[in-house]
Amino acid sequence: MTEETKSLNFIEHIVEGDLRQGLDPSKLRFRFPPEPNGYLHIGHAASICLNFGMGLRYDAPVNLRFDDTNPSKEEQEYVDAIKKDIEWLGFEWDKELYASDYFDQLYNWAIQLIKNGKAYVDDQTSEQIAQQKGTPTQAGTESPYRNRSVQENLDLFEKMKNGDFDEGSHVLRAKIDMASTNMLMRDPVIYRVLKKPHHRTGEKWKIYPMYDWAHGESDYIEQISHSICTLEFKHHRELYDWFLDQVVDEELVRPKQREFARRNLSYTVMSKRKLLQLVEEGHVTGWDDPRMPTISGLRRRGYTPMSIRNFSETAGIAKRDNITDLALLEFQIRNELNKTAPRVMAVLDPLKIVITNYPEGKEELLLAENNPEDQDAGFRDLPFSGEIFIEKDDFLEEADKNFFRLKLGHEVRLKNGYIIKANEVIKDENGEIVEVHCTYDEDSRSGSGTEASMRRVKATIHWVSIKHALPAEVRLYDRLFTHEAPDANKEVDFKTYLNPDSLKVLENAFVEPSLANVMPGDKFQFQRLGYFNVDDESTKEHLIFNRTVSLKDNWAKKGKKH
Ligand code: ATP
Ligand code: MG
């Protein structure tokens, strides 16, 4: 899908409306403004695809702006990870910018506010200030410091800046309206004292601007035409506009804030604070754990940039809060990998099969099609011998007529190979099956053109030749949470719903030898088992595969289990 052929979402309709009203198309400019306090997640991808998508559609620049106004939570590690993820998604930003680059300008504007009688220093504690806020139906109380002289405010603000005051002792507030029906307009704090080093400005600042003050003014400095944010900022729009009113020059572009609904995904949480908690408490192995809804987690799980972009496009941009079904994301990757992933064979839980009538010591190469969905994918050689592994649950000693796989006295076809028949079960002293003795029909090799090769049996199963197979570790992932909306109920800790079976590690798996030289990020369909991605920690000596998704939606089949 190209930008031109996609239908417009409601934000793009707003932009179109502005263009019709005479906005110069060359003035269009967008931004993606992450706070570098965590890794990007699939929710951010919605915002990235929206903003960069508009950049492509209108041939307009899109800035990457780090909203780094809170030094206590922000780190360089996050900046680097965010850049990597956006690049991986395939988007190019125009300029890499930081709200902290504007600290001087923001400070100077704050001085201007004070001089214009639009801001004052408040000596009260945050609790006292909160108590005076009032309620939505009742006006707030004015601070006793509200009517300080300009000179006194300038002196105190200077002292705040110089670090003469302790954290929490003084704030700078905009002087707006303590009776406003919008609580955010009741003299919001715009600067606080914070004696923390900043990841970019170091020890220079002892005061830091609040989000609302920094964000709109940063948009203005960068001449962003449309500042798109999520719905929880709807009430902030009035304040955003008030702050702009204090500084705009009519000649320049006045940014417009518009809001869309956050992307929520079922069976996961999206808040960075909660994701950080999962990481720090060891519920997952890191931000890039393949169970995480982070871009880095999805990448390690086996998702592709295209699957995430297609998901963002089909899930759409909504005006109201909603939960998008995880199945929609899985559908996208399944759909893509069905066309692109080479088919191979792997046995996750092996059972040894001895083909008693296969000539001792003989080996042969069978021909296997790499991808029936892709005519150019070609064929590969698949070694076969008299001892193979099949999946344990593909065999039953005795089974009813509904079990079509291998059972004593019955036949199955080995994928790309022969028809075998199970004759005898060998057990250990505990009664566990250790191997199954079979015979094969010598004339039945797939593709050989003989009558026996066309013979229909009830099932085809996958296998690997023991002598040739490579050992591998296989990690099967499931939903991280058992609840569709783990953090919807504020009374219950979202971690209560962690799925204890979200990871199953199979250390005794085997894969066909064509996988000897795979690299992290290579993707395959393990036939009959699902799509798998080579893990970042996989090496030639220790192969590790992550299951991205099963071949079908298993949850849909099982029905609503939770
Ligand atoms: P979180 O609550 O996960 O920490 P955030 O909004 O604080 O998210 P930011 O780094 O401030 O995270 O977000 C950067 C941009 O991405 C913002 O424009 C924000 O609106 C957008 N964004 C964040 N989460 C989502 C989401 N779930 N769906 C859509 N857009 C999102
Ligand atoms: Mg934020």
Side-chain angles (χ1 to χ4, degrees):
M1 231 184 309
T2 65
E3 296 304 321
E4 293 74 48
T5 57
K6 286 178 199 162
S7 60
L8 296 181
N9 59 53
F10 84 95
I11 295 286
E12 289 164 339
H13 277 294
I14 290 172
V15 173
E16 295 283 328
D18 291 338
L19 291 172
R20 275 197 303 277
Q21 304 244 312
L23 176 66
D24 177 353
S26 73
K27 293 273 159 64
L28 287 176
R29 186 179 285 273
F30 307 98
R31 92 285 174 260
F32 173 65
E35 184 178 353
N37 63 347
Y39 281 58
L40 296 180
H41 50 59
I42 187 79
H44 289 116
S47 174
I48 292 170
C49 292
L50 173 61
N51 283 295
F52 285 94
M54 290 195 293
L56 292 171
R57 178 184 289 279
Y58 299 109
D59 194 20
V62 184
N63 289 344
L64 170 59
R65 173 175 346 120
F66 290 99
D67 221 324
D68 57 349
T69 50
N70 185 358
S72 47
K73 292 191 294 182
E74 295 155 4
E75 289 173 30
Q76 187 62 38
E77 175 200 345
Y78 297 134
V79 168
D80 297 338
I82 288 169
K83 286 163 64 178
K84 177 178 170 182
D85 287 348
I86 299 172
E87 277 173 346
W88 179 75
L89 284 172
F91 294 112
E92 269 178 62
W93 54 84
D94 183 40
K95 297 195 184 73
E96 175 184 335
L97 299 165
Y98 294 80
S100 57
D101 294 340
Y102 313 136
F103 281 174
D104 281 299
Q105 173 70 78
L106 292 168
Y107 177 76
N108 291 334
W109 273 331
I111 301 275
Q112 188 185 312
L113 286 189
I114 294 175
K115 287 184 176 162
N116 293 340
K118 299 280 182 68
Y120 61 97
V121 173
D122 196 331
D123 303 1
Q124 302 182 101
T125 62
S126 54
E127 290 77 21
Q128 286 169 317
I129 292 174
Q131 273 164 15
Q132 294 163 357
K133 271 267 147 133
T135 67
T137 50
Q138 196 175 24
T141 315
E142 293 189 356
S143 162
Y145 302 99
R146 196 171 199 261
N147 295 315
R148 277 183 151 139
S149 71
V150 167
Q151 196 49 53
E152 197 182 352
N153 277 318
L154 288 173
D155 290 346
L156 288 168
F157 191 45
E158 173 83 15
K159 287 206 172 81
M160 280 174 66
K161 178 188 175 229
N162 292 339
D164 296 343
F165 294 134
D166 289 337
E167 285 186 15
S169 66
H170 293 73
V171 290
L172 184 72
R173 297 175 72 178
K175 194 172 180 176
I176 309 179
D177 179 5
M178 288 304 290
S180 171
T181 49
N182 181 347
M183 300 280 286
L184 292 167
M185 300 298 279
R186 296 184 183 175
D187 291 10
V189 173
I190 58 180
Y191 270 98
R192 67 226 197 269
V193 176
L194 258 186
K195 295 185 172 170
K196 302 239 166 45
H198 186 277
H199 76 115
R200 283 176 67 84
T201 59
E203 303 283 344
K204 179 175 173 188
W205 294 91
K206 312 292 177 208
I207 53 171
Y208 289 93
M210 300 299 286
Y211 173 87
D212 286 308
W213 171 241
H215 200 89
E217 311 312 86
S218 301
D219 286 339
Y220 177 61
I221 294 168
E222 291 175 20
Q223 287 289 285
I224 301 303
S225 59
H226 295 81
S227 174
I228 311 304
C229 61
T230 41
L231 275 186
E232 70 272 21
F233 289 99
K234 197 157 192 119
H235 296 301
H236 295 244
R237 198 203 282 182
E238 193 180 355
L239 184 55
Y240 182 97
D241 286 333
W242 189 90
F243 283 140
L244 285 180
D245 286 339
Q246 311 312 310
V247 302
V248 281
D249 173 340
E250 296 302 322
E251 303 288 293
L252 296 177
V253 170
R254 184 192 168 99
K256 192 171 197 174
Q257 175 186 304
R258 288 296 178 268
E259 310 83 13
F260 72 102
R262 295 180 87 76
R263 167 86 68 245
N264 298 303
L265 192 62
S266 59
Y267 299 99
T268 193
V269 294
M270 216 76 103
S271 137
K272 282 183 280 187
R273 188 174 55 76
K274 289 177 188 147
L275 295 176
L276 179 65
Q277 219 175 316
L278 295 176
V279 173
E280 287 184 333
E281 293 175 12
H283 301 291
V284 293
T285 56
W287 284 97
D288 67 346
D289 185 302
R291 290 166 292 180
M292 290 280 269
T294 51
I295 305 294
S296 50
L298 292 167
R299 172 167 59 231
R300 193 164 170 190
R301 176 84 169 248
Y303 279 84
T304 59
M306 211 208 315
S307 64
I308 294 175
R309 288 171 68 156
N310 285 343
F311 166 73
S312 294
E313 180 62 28
T314 44
I317 297 298
K319 289 185 185 174
R320 276 179 230 287
D321 285 322
N322 62 83
I323 299 181
T324 306
D325 193 342
L326 176 63
L328 195 61
L329 180 62
E330 295 187 338
F331 167 81
Q332 289 297 342
I333 190 66
R334 223 177 250 128
N335 199 28
E336 180 179 338
L337 293 179
N338 179 42
K339 294 179 201 124
T340 59
R343 273 56 171 166
V344 294
M345 287 200 280
V347 173
L348 305 190
D349 189 12
L351 169 66
K352 183 175 174 182
I353 300 287
V354 177
I355 301 168
T356 51
N357 62 340
Y358 195 78
E360 180 93 33
K362 180 178 170 180
E363 292 170 26
E364 66 183 298
L365 290 174
L366 304 175
L367 201 59
E369 195 176 8
N370 286 329
N371 186 350
E373 301 288 323
D374 176 2
Q375 290 312 305
D376 301 326
F379 292 82
R380 71 189 182 289
D381 288 329
L382 199 59
F384 182 75
S385 65
E387 293 191 343
I388 61 172
F389 286 133
I390 65 166
E391 215 66 67
K392 225 174 231 158
D393 65 11
D394 277 339
F395 175 75
L396 280 180
E397 238 181 307
E398 282 173 53
D400 64 24
K401 60 179 180 4
N402 295 320
F403 185 84
F404 296 126
R405 291 163 280 165
L406 191 59
K407 54 188 169 187
L408 278 183
H410 290 262
E411 290 182 320
V412 289
R413 177 173 290 284
L414 298 173
K415 180 83 188 155
N416 299 306
Y418 297 95
I419 292 171
I420 58 169
K421 179 177 178 187
N423 304 310
E424 190 188 356
V425 168
I426 313 294
K427 294 180 177 169
D428 63 14
E429 60 274 20
N430 303 321
E432 296 279 332
I433 300 175
V434 287
E435 55 186 58
V436 178
H437 287 187
C438 298
T439 43
Y440 83 124
D441 175 349
E442 186 181 350
D443 296 324
S444 66
R445 182 162 55 83
S446 296
S448 61
T450 62
E451 211 165 296
S453 74
M454 322 255 200
R455 195 148 65 76
R456 286 195 164 264
V457 287
K458 285 265 165 63
T460 300
I461 63 173
H462 60 277
W463 55 275
V464 291
S465 161
I466 295 180
K467 185 173 175 204
H468 305 93
L470 307 170
E473 177 180 329
V474 171
R475 298 175 182 169
L476 301 181
Y477 297 100
D478 204 342
R479 298 164 169 176
L480 189 49
F481 293 93
T482 54
H483 196 289
E484 187 185 34
D487 54 357
N489 183 348
K490 303 284 172 255
E491 309 285 298
V492 183
D493 182 352
F494 71 101
K495 286 175 286 159
T496 314
Y497 301 116
L498 275 165
N499 176 4
D501 301 319
S502 62
L503 170 61
K504 195 167 162 200
V505 180
L506 302 169
E507 304 194 49
N508 191 29
F510 290 90
V511 299
E512 62 167 78
S514 72
L515 298 181
N517 297 311
V518 296
M519 300 294 284
D522 286 351
K523 294 166 178 56
F524 300 93
Q525 185 195 94
F526 287 1
Q527 287 179 306
R528 298 180 65 229
L529 298 173
Y531 295 101
F532 290 75
N533 185 47
V534 180
D535 188 68
D536 291 348
E537 285 168 1
S538 178
T539 62
K540 210 168 154 45
E541 291 69 42
H542 185 101
L543 295 170
I544 307 171
F545 295 89
N546 297 325
R547 182 156 72 185
T548 312
V549 273
S550 54
L551 293 179
K552 293 199 184 84
D553 186 346
N554 290 328
W555 288 91
K557 232 177 11 196
K558 283 184 211 162
K560 276 213 164 15
K561 221 183 142 184
H562 295 278

